[in-house]
Amino acid sequence: MNTESTDRTRYFTLVEDDRGIGTLTFNTPARPVNILSRAAMEELAVHLDTLSEHSRLKALFIESAKEDIFIAGADIHEIQAAADKQVVIDFVRQGQDIFTRLENLPFPTIAVIDGACLGGGLEMSLSCTYRIATSHPHTRIGLPEVNLGILPGFGGTQRLSPLVGYSKALELIVGAKLLKGAKALKLGLVDACVPRGYLDFKKEEFIQEILAGTLDKKLRANRHGLAWYERLTPVRKIIGMIAKKKILQKTHGHYPAPLAVIEVMEKSFGKPLARGLAVEREAVTGLALTPISKNLIELFFISEELKKETFSTAEAKEIHHSAIVGTGAMGSGIAWALNNRDINVRLKDISNEALGRAIAQVRKIYEEIRKRGRLTEREIALKMDKITFSTGYEGFGMTEFLLEAVNEDIELKQQVYREFETVLKPAAVIASNTSSISISKLAEKLEYPNRFVGMHFFNPVNRMPLVEIISGEKTDEEAIVTVVQLAKQMGKTPIKVKESAGFLVNRILLPYLKEAVTLFESGEDIIKIDKTLMGFGMPMGPLTLVDTVGVDIGAKVAEILHQAYGSRMATSPVLNGMVERGWLGKKSGLGFYNHKKGRLEINTKILSLQSDHITLDEQTIEDRTILIMINEAARCLQEEVVANPRYLDMAMVMGTGFPAFRGGLMRHADTLGPEQVVTTLKRLQVDHGDRFAPCNLLLTMAEQKETFYGG
Ligand code: NAD
């Protein structure tokens, strides 16, 4: 017979059966997920007091009552709010002490991981004697703390390598890798992995073996543990050096957390646990107080907010049958993203060759995924069975959602709309992936313009998470909410923006690219411009980006934005001159750089397009390129192109790779202070012209000493 603890428990329930097998169930009240908040940890500590004196118990299972979640981690709000070193130290020490007490209970403990097991959740599981995971797709196990600018602080850096080995532990923590149950078993991180439906059988098997005293010997043999060579200091130093080199190549030193992981693991290796935990505590405390961590955590909150955002109160339609018209670079990527979520896709292009290329492109993306071990050949084949294609519109009657991605030409697009509107059912939602044409204008010739919406994906579709959702004058709420839900289903982050030339991201990015080109035109060195902005944290220099996107495409977008916004976005004679000469960037071999050389070398011929010999200090290069973006972004907020600065920041981070460690463009403006931004813009306006004139919103904010994020 079961006996339930009579404590007034809120987070945990302790049950013991008549064989002496206990179950501690975590169920955070009034929340869909389990979080190791301070209150939950304090209650866990009380249970541990009772349990440590509970000598009758033979084993204890730790489970979650939440669907698809074991434990999502520590309470990030508490980490972000902490401004005082002692507060962070006390918080971390409390977590470390509690998990050490869990580890020292006088009977075996088993974490039953069925659902997400992240951060503090995994650290708690690592303090258990054994771990059983399920193979359910929601079971993801890992220590993703470095994504928040911190490191695992409740013993994660200490307890992982004895299970999986030093170099694997480093790789998992530094890479913030999340493992499925089967992979976790393969690495020795968990001791069993079973389908959800078999969990009770597996638990019973564990109980029988624990009672018979045979489990420990059997399971420990399966664990990888430290390899003999990982005990050698020079070997670990080399492992650390290689990891550090890789991190620096990727982050250019802007993210201290992964580097701190290497240092903590090396410094604490072979030391008693208490010493190791002290090293870990010291490091995580330092990191948690940095603005980098605060910025990364804020971005995490925004992404969580966006997951719940529907941008409308209308009800979304479920999409099972989709169609893509125009299956080039974008259409094929979008076809993959739909098909990957098991949505039927009908492809239509003008020739079988074009369709063949699209299918080959979808296959290529799947192939990359297969190589990473995420999908098997059979799973890919089953998915691709859901793609059909044709050069005509037969089979379009079933379509519930159609995405148009034909060439950027208004007449062609409207011609295609006339063709498919006759075969589509009136309820089908239609989206265009146009990057520059007005959605309202495109919809003019449609019979049902209310179901027409802009859905601006970024290139390459399989890698870029952002989708701008653009509502035209006549777009109805149902169309918006349907594509918002669909984009989320495709694993993307949709952000609704108001119709405006360049929408949101390209409108803000173009002045930045153009200012870099203007700096070059007046005599600045190409490599210095790019290096300065990479030093700021941009993933690639602006002139390299122009070469990558295509100089002709850049010039075309510049022309469109010039027409829409006038002189502040005047076209660039350099870009036009490059197009005339056929220097289109990477695709033609020559752009700002000479891409034929296989090493970084500028295109020396381009120097003839410079009109002066002015060179500037790096700070001025940064001010001119970054502040012109801040100014345009503030204008977008002023015109309500996007709902708020937080969504704008997320769009810039996801759409352009704006450095996440700075928290986004408007957060960076707050760091500088709007007053400072306005002062510098006014100075640049005097020196370089009215394109730097601060917009009204910035002027008001500077005057009223306000910030974009408030507080
Ligand atoms: P693309 O040239 O690679 O593909 C266009 C495809 O449309 C071609 O396969 C072409 O054969 C097909 N097509 C032309 N007429 C057709 C018709 N009547 N019926 C069916 N198919 C037809 O172009 P892309 O780069 O994929 O761009 C497509 C759209 O996406 C454009 O509106 C573009 O502005 C937008 N976009 C492009 C990017 C990018 O980086 N390439 C990014 C965002 C948005």
Side-chain angles (χ1 to χ4, degrees), residues 156-173:
T157 64
Q158 306 299 302
R159 294 191 176 96
L160 189 57
S161 48
L163 291 178
V164 302
Y166 186 85
S167 103
K168 212 33 162 188
L170 200 60
E171 186 189 322
L172 293 177
I173 301 176

Side-chain angles (χ1 to χ4, degrees), residues 408 433-436 456-459 464 466 468 497 500-514 545 549 553-554 557-558 560-561 565 569 629 632 636 651-652 655-656:
E408 190 74 343
N433 185 44
T434 178
S435 44
S436 60
H456 185 221
F457 287 85
F458 288 70
N459 193 10
M464 299 293 280
L466 180 66
E468 289 177 322
V497 303
S500 111
F503 308 134
L504 178 70
V505 168
N506 287 342
R507 173 173 168 182
I508 298 171
L509 187 69
L510 191 95
Y512 159 79
L513 296 178
K514 247 203 58 221
L545 182 57
V549 171
I553 292 178
V557 178
I560 292 166
L561 297 194
Y565 301 113
M569 296 219 198
M629 273 204 285
E632 197 57 40
C636 289
M652 291 305 287
T656 71

Side-chain angles (χ1 to χ4, degrees), residues 405-423:
V406 302
N407 309 59
E408 190 74 343
D409 174 334
I410 186 163
E411 272 152 33
L412 171 66
K413 285 185 191 278
Q414 286 182 333
Q415 165 62 31
V416 168
Y417 299 171
R418 271 192 293 276
E419 289 167 14
F420 63 59
E421 226 188 3
T422 56
V423 288

